[in-house]
Amino acid sequence: MSHLMNTYARLPVTFSHGEGSRITDIHGKTYLDALSGIAVNTLGHNHSVLVKAIAEQAGRMLHVSNLYGIREQEQLADRLCALSGMSEAFFCNSGCEANEAAIKLARFYGHQQGIDSPAIIVMEKAFHGRTLATLSATGNRKAQAGFEPLVSGFVRVPYNDLAAIRAVAEHNKSVVAVMLEMVQGEGGINIASDEFQRGLRQLCDEQGWLLMCDEVQCGIGRTGKWFGFQHAGIVPDVMTLAKGLGSGVPIGACVTAGKAAGLFKPGNHGSTFGGNPLACTAALTTLATIEQDGLMARAEAVGSAIRQGMKEALANVSGVVDIRGKGLMIGIELDRPCGELVAKGLDAGLLINVTAEKVVRLLPALVMTDAEAKELVERLSALIRAFLTA
Ligand SMILES: *Cc1c(COP(=O)(O)O)cnc(C)c1O
């Protein structure tokens, strides 16, 4: 009997090592990895530059505590702010922690304006994490069930519906922020339109609200730009990062600008592990490699090739509702629940995911080659075709 807490319905496979977009299990079978540990392994497996940088950092020091100056952390904050046009970064270890920091920051901001019970507008189908506050912000009743009382102070609206948010602004004077994903990942690869993002930016400015972008899944080059909001040409007041930032070494960040910057003072927030030299080195190396190797352009090109290839391969198959995405965040929505495709993929040597019951989700590493993308299209379209015509 396993002594692991039963929090995941794990697939019957255990891996031993990987290389790029290939990963091998303990029995020697090799798989094409189109999931990257859920958008984490930005540089794929065993990237030589990352491995070397981490090993060298480990040889210098792993951890010192935020009670002291950490050069790698300062460099990473500089880098993230330069890339985003923002001004300050707080480092933690995961996406939910980054969002916790953002939620605390929004409340803190509200209290400074004399709002005793600040509220944050969040979206239907949102995913922000599993801690109590981020679970409360998440738009998934199933994930919340059994954990009530939830954290109060969230107002939910439909995604991409600016009018609904304007309506909240009319009657709710406690709102201090809007939090959303620019591309919803767990919710089924739903894309915030550019008009919606720009409208939100304007509304937040009018109302004095913080615009808080959860870029935990869509950030770090995956959509073809460093951050999802850059497609719309806006800059948020707060963004959160995690998953792809350290290419597999855990790190999260809450980055602020404008009226969200300069709010926290010593004692308001913290983290023991957050931003340690090892994690920051992994993140700095990830960012440098994305830039040097042109991986954002690759994400854009390979992503559209996969979407186009899937559209062509499944053109005459009924049951395919939509094939959508941005860069290497791709969803193939079917007309029926398709969770069983994950196990079928595994049998066929393909790592894929299904989210929101009916959406096959692909999150390949930014280093996926054209040949691997072609192979992915061929093998996955065959799987989906067989599933839908069975
Ligand atoms: C995965 C995810 C989170 C939570 O990240 P953890 O590191 O699992 O806490 C938050 N927001 C989004 C958009 C995510 O995809």
Side-chain angles (χ1 to χ4, degrees), residues 100-155:
E100 285 280 340
I103 292 165
K104 280 181 67 175
L105 196 80
R107 287 185 166 195
F108 206 65
Y109 170 75
H111 281 279
Q112 293 194 346
Q113 309 199 341
I115 298 173
D116 293 336
S117 195
I120 300 172
I121 295 179
V122 289
M123 306 293 135
E124 287 176 3
K125 296 189 188 169
F127 184 81
H128 297 299
R130 299 284 194 166
T131 59
L132 271 173
T134 59
L135 179 66
S136 305
T138 289
N140 179 343
R141 272 304 301 152
K142 265 197 212 155
Q144 294 170 337
F147 300 107
E148 298 85 357
L150 296 173
V151 173
S152 61
F154 295 102
V155 180

Side-chain angles (χ1 to χ4, degrees), residues 94-96 99 127-129 181 186 214 216-217 242-243:
S94 66
C96 60
N99 287 333
F127 184 81
H128 297 299
E181 299 149 89
E186 306 303 305
D214 180 344
V216 168
Q217 190 162 150
K243 291 196 167 84

Side-chain angles (χ1 to χ4, degrees), residues 87-88 112 256 258-265:
S87 53
E88 291 182 340
Q112 293 194 346
T256 60
K259 51 191 184 287
L263 289 174
F264 281 162
K265 299 284 185 294

Side-chain angles (χ1 to χ4, degrees), residues 290-333:
I290 290 174
E291 188 156 59
Q292 279 157 26
D293 294 356
L295 296 184
M296 283 183 288
R298 289 288 304 159
E300 171 88 55
V302 176
S304 38
I306 293 171
R307 287 196 302 279
Q308 192 54 37
M310 291 302 294
K311 280 181 188 164
E312 284 163 18
L314 296 172
N316 51 3
V317 180
S318 76
V320 179
V321 174
D322 192 20
I323 298 175
R324 58 178 175 262
K326 242 184 194 173
L328 286 172
M329 251 186 121
I330 299 169
I332 300 150
E333 183 175 345

Side-chain angles (χ1 to χ4, degrees), residues 29-357:
K29 178 176 169 183
T30 295
Y31 303 73
L32 180 60
D33 183 358
L35 188 61
S36 315
I38 319 186
V40 166
N41 300 304
T42 304
L43 304 181
H45 302 283
N46 193 31
H47 192 286
S48 59
V49 176
L50 181 65
V51 171
K52 183 162 175 281
I54 294 172
E56 286 176 358
Q57 184 57 52
R60 289 190 292 271
M61 61 180 170
L62 293 171
H63 177 84
V64 287
S65 158
N66 286 305
L67 296 173
Y68 308 103
I70 300 176
R71 200 169 48 185
E72 296 79 5
Q73 201 182 108
E74 286 164 20
Q75 289 168 350
L76 182 57
D78 288 350
R79 198 79 190 95
L80 290 173
C81 290
L83 297 175
S84 62
M86 300 177 74
S87 53
E88 291 182 340
F90 167 82
F91 293 104
C92 51
N93 313 287
S94 66
C96 60
E97 274 180 82
N99 287 333
E100 285 280 340
I103 292 165
K104 280 181 67 175
L105 196 80
R107 287 185 166 195
F108 206 65
Y109 170 75
H111 281 279
Q112 293 194 346
Q113 309 199 341
I115 298 173
D116 293 336
S117 195
I120 300 172
I121 295 179
V122 289
M123 306 293 135
E124 287 176 3
K125 296 189 188 169
F127 184 81
H128 297 299
R130 299 284 194 166
T131 59
L132 271 173
T134 59
L135 179 66
S136 305
T138 289
N140 179 343
R141 272 304 301 152
K142 265 197 212 155
Q144 294 170 337
F147 300 107
E148 298 85 357
L150 296 173
V151 173
S152 61
F154 295 102
V155 180
R156 198 164 308 280
V157 298
Y159 198 56
N160 272 323
D161 187 346
L162 198 61
I165 300 175
R166 282 192 199 286
V168 174
E170 294 276 302
H171 70 250
N172 188 333
K173 298 302 170 196
S174 300
V175 173
V176 294
V178 181
M179 180 159 81
L180 78 162
E181 299 149 89
M182 299 347 245
V183 181
Q184 289 185 330
E186 306 303 305
I189 311 295
N190 309 310
I191 300 167
S193 72
D194 289 353
E195 308 87 83
F196 179 59
Q197 294 188 39
R198 288 191 203 114
L200 256 183
R201 179 65 278 180
Q202 197 186 342
L203 183 62
C204 286
D205 288 339
E206 283 165 22
Q207 300 287 336
W209 298 345
L210 303 181
L211 177 57
M212 308 206 295
C213 297
D214 180 344
E215 295 267 346
V216 168
Q217 190 162 150
C218 64
I220 316 297
R222 175 159 292 281
T223 66
K225 294 206 184 280
W226 285 111
F227 311 109
F229 56 76
Q230 291 176 328
H231 291 278
I234 61 166
V235 180
D237 302 295
V238 180
M239 79 162 163
T240 54
L241 299 167
K243 291 196 167 84
L245 178 56
S247 269
V249 177
I251 180 167
C254 176
V255 184
T256 60
K259 51 191 184 287
L263 289 174
F264 281 162
K265 299 284 185 294
N268 292 136
H269 199 53
S271 168
T272 297
F273 291 117
N276 81 14
L278 182 77
C280 290
T281 295
L284 282 165
T285 308
T286 300
L287 298 176
T289 305
I290 290 174
E291 188 156 59
Q292 279 157 26
D293 294 356
L295 296 184
M296 283 183 288
R298 289 288 304 159
E300 171 88 55
V302 176
S304 38
I306 293 171
R307 287 196 302 279
Q308 192 54 37
M310 291 302 294
K311 280 181 188 164
E312 284 163 18
L314 296 172
N316 51 3
V317 180
S318 76
V320 179
V321 174
D322 192 20
I323 298 175
R324 58 178 175 262
K326 242 184 194 173
L328 286 172
M329 251 186 121
I330 299 169
I332 300 150
E333 183 175 345
L334 306 185
D335 66 353
R336 65 201 77 168
C338 57
E340 65 195 81
L341 276 172
V342 173
K344 288 183 196 293
L346 204 62
D347 285 342
L350 210 51
L351 302 193
I352 58 169
N353 175 255
V354 168
T355 189
E357 284 186 358

